[in-house]
């Protein structure tokens, strides 16, 4: 029971039944797993066979059809990938649309802000305009505008003032009619025709011709006697003739009174007597000249009226300019002879040779002073010569017949050429004044003074009673040693004690005075007029400017900006808004300049802005006037507050913050190069205009289109092809600053701006880029021009340099013509000539900026400087210029200028003023 109970399942079913069920289940599973796939295969195979080979679905396929299936799968995958990307792009598009909408809102907000800012700016401008108008009204109330006074012309028969008490009491305030010479009159001068008075036919023909030539070249001479301030009468030199003796004093007085504009007393008349010989007829002695002033070389004390009459120099070079090649150089300072003197005086010669030597200085001081020191002078000078302490040359007896001279005056010996040869080897030249103390000025002494200054021998005038030419205006102590005759025994010690620097300074000053006041007939006549004009305090007339004959030209398209020229990185060169062109301020100191600076202008040897022959004898230069009025720091205003970075770059700053410059570009038949250079100037800050000096006789091409750089381009026609045209003071140049530049020069805008800033702090210098220097050739004993790289320089090429317009006037009108002639002869050396001129005036070297040594453009046509003879000609030019100036004016310098923050390590949030690499 237990066993049978053990085989019964939990449900009470027998075990056999359970096993049958398991067997049935296994059979059914086997059937499904084996027979069902076979049946399905058979069924599918039958369908493919019934549909044909082209309609098989599950049957085996060719290899190509299998590949097509794979391609479909790839396309499906690509479609899915593209769909995903399209979805992503759509999402991005929607995102960008949203961003655009937000930006449009911001743009609208900015536009509203700009409109509001414009309105505020307009209001500020109105306020500024109203403030300026109110300021002008207040200034007008406190400083009413002065208009030129109405000139009152006297009647033709004006009797003038009552006569002076005596002829010796005539002075400007008592004998000169200021009413005929208002400050604004321009100082008109009327010169009598030599044929209108009787003694005019007796005048020396050479003097008359030289005088007439000088009159024609003067800017003050007028043909209208009714408006004249001064009337000039040439009274000498009279040509001596036995058949026609000179007129008596009484006859001469009658002839003077017969002059048409003498007006009874001759007020505002000047009687000029020009001497060509050492013995000059003083035929105005004992002649009553009334209120007329006298200008001559010989005066007696009772004849000379201090402050009214004028001692003038003799007329040596009547119709010719001095030959600078014959003038000895100013160096070396010491020459063969310490001093020389050649002359003869009959009155004192016998006593000096026959009597015993004079007493010593101590013995003479114990006794009475001699009446005439000439004997003592002879003995002392001969003693110095015999001592052989220094090599001196004194001759008191002429080898040939001495020149005629006045009584008690030392006569000249030999011919002029022989005397000059002796003076050329003399450090000092003695000029012994006449023994007669009543003879205060003589033509013989003036002739000795002239010859000494001409060849660089420092004059030593023995006798303090002598009146030297124009002594009331010229400070002769700067060029001449004045020694009283009683100090003759101390003369040797005095001359030996003067240093070489002082000797050179006196020699240069003497050369300046000679070239300015004595060298030619034009300078003598101009000096006479300037002396009178300065005495009555009338400003000089402005010097003329060269009128620019413009060549019409057509402007083309708007010029672009060369990336290499204008790429300055993050450097701002100037204001964002370019200011319109404006000229430099005009000169407003004419009257003050005349009144306050009399001695400075008359006695200034080549120094800043003064040169032979520019002094009161020449008209005031407009550029000099502008320099004195606006460039010397009288107005400490502007951006000079120590700013850095963008504040510095956005404004010029300094004492004159508002200023522009003019580009003067010289060109010759290189149109393509010129057009490219003009285009590179587009966008250059502080540029006023461009003056193109067309140096070719052929005009520009008719179809040439000039670039439009937003500023005037003035094309100037020249009379001839000359490099001197670069420095002509064209009236089209209205600024003080001139940038002289060649048509093939390549300069970046930042370099030009930095050079302009440097020039504004050194307005009397040449500021440029390529440097050159001069050197002494020991083997050939001559000067050489050198363009090699060097640690020092003495010249800056004016093919890319800033300079003041003042120097253009001096170069064209004042500098010796021989220099300009050599520039035209060689078609070279104009830049060397300008460097000589500026260094001679300022005694300063030029200023080099940046590290540039050349500036030529690659691929440009060949220039004159590439010629093999270029350097040989420049060697010759330097040596010739040295002969003209008498010394080497160029000075060396060993530094160049960079900005304050050049290569300075600064924080990232700071900006450098300028940076150059």
């Amino acid at each position: 029971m237990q066993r049978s109970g053990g085989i019964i399942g939990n449900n009470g079913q027998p075990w056999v039944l359970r096993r049958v069920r398991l067997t049935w289940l296994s059979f059914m599973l086997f059937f499904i797993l084996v027979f069902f796939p076979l049946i399905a295969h058979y069924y599918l195979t039958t369908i493919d066979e019934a549909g044909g080979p082209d309609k098989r679905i599950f049957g085996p396929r060719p290899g190509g059809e299998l590949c097509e299936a794979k391609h479909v799968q790839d396309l499906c995958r690509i479609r899915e990938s593209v769909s995903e990307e399209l979805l992503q792009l759509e999402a991005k598009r929607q995102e960008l649309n949203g961003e655009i909408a937000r930006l449009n809102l911001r743009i609208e907000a900015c536009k509203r802000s700009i409109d509001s800012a414009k309105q505020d700016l307009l209001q500020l401008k109105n306020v500024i305009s109203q403030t300026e108008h109110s300021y002008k009204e207040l200034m007008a109330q406190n400083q009413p505008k002065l208009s030129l006074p109405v000139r009152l012309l006297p009647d033709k028969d004006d009797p003038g003032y009552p006569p002076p008490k005596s002829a010796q009491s005539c002075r400007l305030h008592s004998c000169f009619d200021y009413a005929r010479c208002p400050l604004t009159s321009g100082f008109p001068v009327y010169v009598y025709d030599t044929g209108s008075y009787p003694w005019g036919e007796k005048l020396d023909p050479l003097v008359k011709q030289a005088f007439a030539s000088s009159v024609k070249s003067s800017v003050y001479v007028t043909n209208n006697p009714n408006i004249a301030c001064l009337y000039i009468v040439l009274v000498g030199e009279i040509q001596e003739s036995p058949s026609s003796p000179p007129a008596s004093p009484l006859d001469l007085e009658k002839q003077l009174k017969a002059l048409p504009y003498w007006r009874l007393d001759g007020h505002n008349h000047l009687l000029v007597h020009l001497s060509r010989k050492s013995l000059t007829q003083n035929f105005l002695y004992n002649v009553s000249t009334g209120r007329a002033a006298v200008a001559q070389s010989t005066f007696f004390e009772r004849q000379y009226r201090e402050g009214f009459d004028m001692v003038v120099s003799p007329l040596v070079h009547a119709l010719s300019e001095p030959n600078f090649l014959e003038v000895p150089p100013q160096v070396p300072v010491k020459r063969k002879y310490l001093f020389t003197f050649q002359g003869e005086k009959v009155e004192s010669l016998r006593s000096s040779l026959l009597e015993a030597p004079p007493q010593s200085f101590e013995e003479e001081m114990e006794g009475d002073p001699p009446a005439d020191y000439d004997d003592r002078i002879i003995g002392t000078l001969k003693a110095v010569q015999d001592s052989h302490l220094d090599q001196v040359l004194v001759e008191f007896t002429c080898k040939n017949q001495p020149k005629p001279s006045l009584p008690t005056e030392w006569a000249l010996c030999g011919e002029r050429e022989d005397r000059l040869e002796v003076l050329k080897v003399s450090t000092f030249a003695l000029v012994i004044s006449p023994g007669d103390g009543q003879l205060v000025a003589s033509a013989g002494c003036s002739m000795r003074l002239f010859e000494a200054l001409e060849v660089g021998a420092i004059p030593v005038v023995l006798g303090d009673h002598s009146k030297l030419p124009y002594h009331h205006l010229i400070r002769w102590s700067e060029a001449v040693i004045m020694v009283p005759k009683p100090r003759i025994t101390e003369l040797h010690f005095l001359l030996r004690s003067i240093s070489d620097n002082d000797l050179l300074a006196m020699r240069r000053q003497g050369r300046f005075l000679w070239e300015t006041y004595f060298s030619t007939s034009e300078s003598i006549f101009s000096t006479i007029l300037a002396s009178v004009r300065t005495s009555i305090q009338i400003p000089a007339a402005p010097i003329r400017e060269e009128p620019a004959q413009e060549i019409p030209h057509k402007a083309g398209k708007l010029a672009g900006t060369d990336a290499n020229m204008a790429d300055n990185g993050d450097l701002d060169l100037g204001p964002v808004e370019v200011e319109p062109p404006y000229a430099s301020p005009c000169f407003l100191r004419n009257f003050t300049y005349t009144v306050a600076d009399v001695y400075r202008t008359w006695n200034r040897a080549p120094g800043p802005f003064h040169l032979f022959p520019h002094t009161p004898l020449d008209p005031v230069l407009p550029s000099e006037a502008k320099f004195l009025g606006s460039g010397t720091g009288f107005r400490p205003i502007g951006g000079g507050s120590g700013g850095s970075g963008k504040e510095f770059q956005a404004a010029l700053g300094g004492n004159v913050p508002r200023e522009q410059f003019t580009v003067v570009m010289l060109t010759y038949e290189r149109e393509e190069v010129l057009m490219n250079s003009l285009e590179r100037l587009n966008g250059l800050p502080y540029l006023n205009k461009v003056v193109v000096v067309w140096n070719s006789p052929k005009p520009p091409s008719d179809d040439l289109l000039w670039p439009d750089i937003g500023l005037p381009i003035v094309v100037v026609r020249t009379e001839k092809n000359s490099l001197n045209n670069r420095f002509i003071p064209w009236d089209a140049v209205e600024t003080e600053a001139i940038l002289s530049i060649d048509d093939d020069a390549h300069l970046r805008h930042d370099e030009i701006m930095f050079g302009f800033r440097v020039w504004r702090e050194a307005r009397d210098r040449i500021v440029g880029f390529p440097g050159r220097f001069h050197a002494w050739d020991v083997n050939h004993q001559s000067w050489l021009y050198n363009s090699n790289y060097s640690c020092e320089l003495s010249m800056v090429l004016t093919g890319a340099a800033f300079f003041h317009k003042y120097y253009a006037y001096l170069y064209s009108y004042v500098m010796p013509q021989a220099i300009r002639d050599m520039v035209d002869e060689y078609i070279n050396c104009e830049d060397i000539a300008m460097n000589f001129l500026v260094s001679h005036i300022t005694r300063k070297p030029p200023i080099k900026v940046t590290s540039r040594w050349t500036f030529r453009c690659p691929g440009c046509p060949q220039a004159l400087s590439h010629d093999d003879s270029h350097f040989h000609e420049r060697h010759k030019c330097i040596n010739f210029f040295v002969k003209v100036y008498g010394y080497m004016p160029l000075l060396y310098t060993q530094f160049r200028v960079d900005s304050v923050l050049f290569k300075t390590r600064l924080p990232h949030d700071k900006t450098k003023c300028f940076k150059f690499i």
Side-chain angles (χ1 to χ4, degrees), residues 48-115:
D48 290 339
E49 291 177 356
D54 297 333
K55 297 182 179 181
R56 290 182 180 182
I57 299 176
F58 300 99
R61 300 169 179 242
E65 294 182 359
L66 183 62
C67 292
E68 290 179 1
K70 292 182 179 179
H71 180 64
V72 172
Q73 296 176 0
D74 293 340
L75 291 177
C76 293
R77 286 193 298 270
I78 292 173
R79 182 181 61 122
E80 294 176 356
S81 176
V82 170
S83 299
E84 292 179 359
E85 291 180 358
L86 289 176
L87 292 175
Q88 294 177 359
L89 290 176
E90 179 64 20
K92 289 183 179 181
R93 186 183 68 82
Q94 296 178 357
E95 181 180 358
L96 291 176
N97 288 334
E99 184 69 20
I100 290 173
R102 290 191 297 270
L103 292 177
N104 288 332
L105 294 177
R106 293 181 60 183
I107 290 173
E108 295 296 330
C110 291
K111 287 182 178 180
R112 290 191 296 269
S113 300
I114 291 174
D115 294 337

Side-chain angles (χ1 to χ4, degrees), residues 806-826:
Y806 177 87
Y807 295 120
Y809 295 97
L810 298 185
Y811 186 98
S812 301
Y813 303 140
V814 178
M815 188 179 67
Q817 181 63 37
I819 296 180
R820 294 190 292 271
D821 292 341
M822 190 166 197
V823 171
D824 288 337
E825 178 183 355
Y826 286 153

Side-chain angles (χ1 to χ4, degrees), residues 35-250:
F35 289 97
F36 183 80
L38 294 174
I39 295 171
H41 181 266
Y42 175 77
Y43 178 77
L44 293 175
T45 303
T46 305
I47 293 176
D48 290 339
E49 291 177 356
D54 297 333
K55 297 182 179 181
R56 290 182 180 182
I57 299 176
F58 300 99
R61 300 169 179 242
E65 294 182 359
L66 183 62
C67 292
E68 290 179 1
K70 292 182 179 179
H71 180 64
V72 172
Q73 296 176 0
D74 293 340
L75 291 177
C76 293
R77 286 193 298 270
I78 292 173
R79 182 181 61 122
E80 294 176 356
S81 176
V82 170
S83 299
E84 292 179 359
E85 291 180 358
L86 289 176
L87 292 175
Q88 294 177 359
L89 290 176
E90 179 64 20
K92 289 183 179 181
R93 186 183 68 82
Q94 296 178 357
E95 181 180 358
L96 291 176
N97 288 334
E99 184 69 20
I100 290 173
R102 290 191 297 270
L103 292 177
N104 288 332
L105 294 177
R106 293 181 60 183
I107 290 173
E108 295 296 330
C110 291
K111 287 182 178 180
R112 290 191 296 269
S113 300
I114 291 174
D115 294 337
S116 177
K118 286 182 178 180
Q119 294 179 359
D120 295 340
L121 179 60
L122 182 60
Q123 294 178 358
L124 289 176
K125 288 183 177 180
N126 294 333
V127 171
I128 292 174
S129 177
Q130 295 175 1
T131 304
E132 291 179 350
H133 183 69
S134 301
Y135 174 76
K136 291 179 180 179
E137 289 181 351
L138 292 175
M139 293 295 294
Q141 294 176 4
N142 297 328
Q143 297 180 358
K145 183 178 180 180
L146 297 178
S147 59
L148 294 179
V150 179
R151 185 177 182 186
L152 301 177
L153 297 177
D155 297 333
K156 182 177 181 181
D157 298 329
D158 180 19
Y161 298 116
K165 296 180 180 179
S166 65
Q168 290 297 321
S169 63
C170 245
R171 298 296 182 268
L172 283 176
H173 67 275
S174 60
C175 293
F176 192 86
D177 185 6
Y178 282 85
R180 299 194 64 88
C181 306
L183 295 176
T184 58
S185 63
F187 191 59
V189 177
Y190 178 78
V191 180
Y192 283 91
D193 185 8
T194 54
S196 62
Y197 42 87
W199 72 90
E201 299 178 355
K202 301 179 182 180
L203 294 175
D204 188 336
L206 193 59
V207 173
K208 284 201 303 184
Q209 188 176 357
F211 184 78
S213 176
S214 302
V215 168
K216 291 181 180 179
S217 62
S218 177
V219 296
Y220 297 105
V221 174
T222 178
N223 295 324
N224 187 358
N226 297 323
I227 66 171
C229 165
L230 183 68
Y231 300 84
I232 293 182
V233 184
L234 182 63
V235 298
E237 184 170 49
I238 299 295
Q239 191 174 17
E240 297 180 357
S241 175
S243 59
S244 58
S248 63
L250 183 59

Side-chain angles (χ1 to χ4, degrees), residues 139-400:
M139 293 295 294
Q141 294 176 4
N142 297 328
Q143 297 180 358
K145 183 178 180 180
L146 297 178
S147 59
L148 294 179
V150 179
R151 185 177 182 186
L152 301 177
L153 297 177
D155 297 333
K156 182 177 181 181
D157 298 329
D158 180 19
Y161 298 116
K165 296 180 180 179
S166 65
Q168 290 297 321
S169 63
C170 245
R171 298 296 182 268
L172 283 176
H173 67 275
S174 60
C175 293
F176 192 86
D177 185 6
Y178 282 85
R180 299 194 64 88
C181 306
L183 295 176
T184 58
S185 63
F187 191 59
V189 177
Y190 178 78
V191 180
Y192 283 91
D193 185 8
T194 54
S196 62
Y197 42 87
W199 72 90
E201 299 178 355
K202 301 179 182 180
L203 294 175
D204 188 336
L206 193 59
V207 173
K208 284 201 303 184
Q209 188 176 357
F211 184 78
S213 176
S214 302
V215 168
K216 291 181 180 179
S217 62
S218 177
V219 296
Y220 297 105
V221 174
T222 178
N223 295 324
N224 187 358
N226 297 323
I227 66 171
C229 165
L230 183 68
Y231 300 84
I232 293 182
V233 184
L234 182 63
V235 298
E237 184 170 49
I238 299 295
Q239 191 174 17
E240 297 180 357
S241 175
S243 59
S244 58
S248 63
L250 183 59
D251 294 338
L252 190 55
E253 289 183 20
K254 293 180 180 179
Q255 294 175 7
L256 290 175
K257 292 180 180 180
L259 293 175
Y261 308 103
W262 188 260
R263 296 187 179 91
L264 300 180
D265 56 3
H267 61 274
N268 291 42
H269 276 64
L270 180 64
L271 309 180
V272 178
H273 186 183
L274 300 179
S275 304
R276 293 188 57 246
K277 297 176 293 186
S278 59
L279 177 61
T280 300
Q281 318 97 323
N282 187 9
F283 61 89
L284 292 179
Y285 186 68
N286 290 329
V287 173
S288 176
T289 58
R291 296 178 185 273
V294 178
Q296 61 183 19
S297 301
T298 302
F299 279 103
F300 285 93
E301 185 175 6
R302 59 172 297 187
Q303 177 189 12
Y304 181 70
R305 294 167 291 185
E306 185 71 37
F308 191 70
D309 292 331
M310 188 188 313
V311 180
V312 300
S313 60
L315 181 61
V316 178
H317 298 287
L319 295 176
S320 61
E321 290 190 359
N323 187 356
F324 292 100
L325 297 179
E326 297 180 358
V327 177
Q330 299 184 25
V331 290
V333 177
K334 299 293 183 60
R335 296 179 177 178
K336 177 180 179 181
Y337 296 110
L338 177 63
F339 62 83
T340 59
F341 179 80
Q342 292 177 310
E344 182 173 334
K345 184 179 179 182
V346 179
E347 289 80 357
S348 61
L349 179 61
R350 185 179 297 104
S351 60
S352 64
L353 296 178
L354 300 179
E355 297 180 1
Q359 298 175 341
S360 64
F361 180 73
E362 292 78 6
E363 294 175 347
E364 184 174 292
M365 290 298 294
E366 295 177 357
D368 297 331
D372 187 356
Y373 286 97
D374 289 350
D375 292 345
R376 183 173 183 79
I377 291 174
I378 295 174
T380 303
L381 297 181
K382 292 174 66 175
V384 174
Q385 185 179 24
D386 296 339
S387 66
H388 301 291
L389 296 176
D390 287 293
Q391 193 170 2
V392 299
L393 175 63
V394 290
E395 296 179 354
F396 301 106
T397 304
C398 296
K399 299 178 180 178
N400 300 320

Side-chain angles (χ1 to χ4, degrees), residues 591-639:
F591 180 72
T592 309
Y593 183 74
T594 303
V595 175
D597 301 331
V598 172
Y599 277 99
R600 184 179 69 88
T601 54
W602 276 81
N603 298 279
R604 193 67 172 267
F609 291 91
H610 289 278
L611 174 75
F612 62 93
H614 172 61
T615 49
L617 66 89
D618 275 334
V620 170
L621 307 184
S623 293
E624 173 193 16
K626 293 174 183 177
F627 173 84
L628 294 172
S630 63
T632 53
F634 292 124
R635 298 177 297 152
I637 60 176

